[in-house]
Amino acid sequence: MNIAIVFSEFNEEVTSRMLDVAKEKAKLLKLKISHTCMVPGAYDMPIIVDSLLSRKEVDAVVTLGAIIKGQTKHDEVISHAAAQALTDLSLKYKKPVSLGISGPGMQERHAYARIRPVAERAVEAVVKISQELKRIQK
């Protein structure tokens, strides 16, 4: 299975570690990472994910990001917009797109605590969804 990974530059201390964990998990699951793309933030992911999903060699996309709460509700706006756009793209292309974006409403310490579980589950999710799609399309 060929996957692409899109990760956020915003909160890079967290997301770069998420990327490392996702790569480890992909290797363990014998997945090929065909593309690794960095975008400024979670809100910026959909256009890159759209382009990747349109490629024949990409079977699924893993997204990685950390949306940390600030003094406003901006984190909620960003996370809801990103989640909806990524869901729409998954449905448009009939290919799995995982939501490996932690937040909203979390503080920085929570983001660090979620690095491994969120990144691993994001990779596992695209595999499981892909397997289920193959099973029901037979």
Side-chain angles (χ1 to χ4, degrees):
M1 181 174 173
N2 294 322
I3 66 168
I5 300 175
V6 179
F7 71 103
S8 172
E9 180 180 21
F10 204 78
N11 296 315
E12 191 173 11
E13 286 185 22
V14 173
T15 61
S16 64
R17 290 171 57 190
M18 291 174 86
L19 177 61
D20 291 340
V21 170
K23 286 179 176 180
E24 288 172 17
K25 190 66 173 182
K27 184 176 181 180
L28 186 68
L29 296 174
K30 296 179 173 50
L31 305 176
K32 180 181 182 234
I33 301 171
S34 60
H35 298 81
T36 302
C37 304
M38 183 170 66
V39 296
Y43 183 82
D44 308 301
M45 289 181 177
I47 193 166
I48 300 301
V49 172
D50 190 350
S51 181
L52 290 165
L53 290 172
S54 72
R55 300 177 69 93
K56 240 182 184 175
E57 75 273 12
V58 174
D59 299 315
V61 177
V62 172
T63 63
L64 302 171
I67 301 174
I68 297 173
K69 181 154 183 57
Q71 295 179 343
T72 67
K73 295 193 181 254
H74 185 69
D75 62 316
E76 293 177 24
V77 172
I78 296 301
S79 61
H80 291 282
Q84 186 62 62
L86 295 171
T87 299
D88 292 346
L89 289 169
S90 182
L91 294 171
K92 174 183 174 183
Y93 289 98
K94 305 287 189 263
K95 293 181 182 182
V97 177
S98 67
L99 188 63
I101 302 171
S102 58
M106 68 176 183
Q107 297 173 348
E108 191 172 353
R109 71 177 190 274
H110 300 127
Y112 281 99
R114 290 178 170 88
I115 290 170
R116 181 161 295 280
V118 171
E120 286 183 345
R121 287 185 195 130
V123 175
E124 291 167 353
V126 296
V127 173
K128 289 177 182 178
I129 295 165
S130 181
Q131 290 170 342
E132 192 65 10
L133 281 171
K134 286 179 185 171
R135 187 185 72 77
I136 64 173
Q137 291 172 347
K138 287 183 179 179

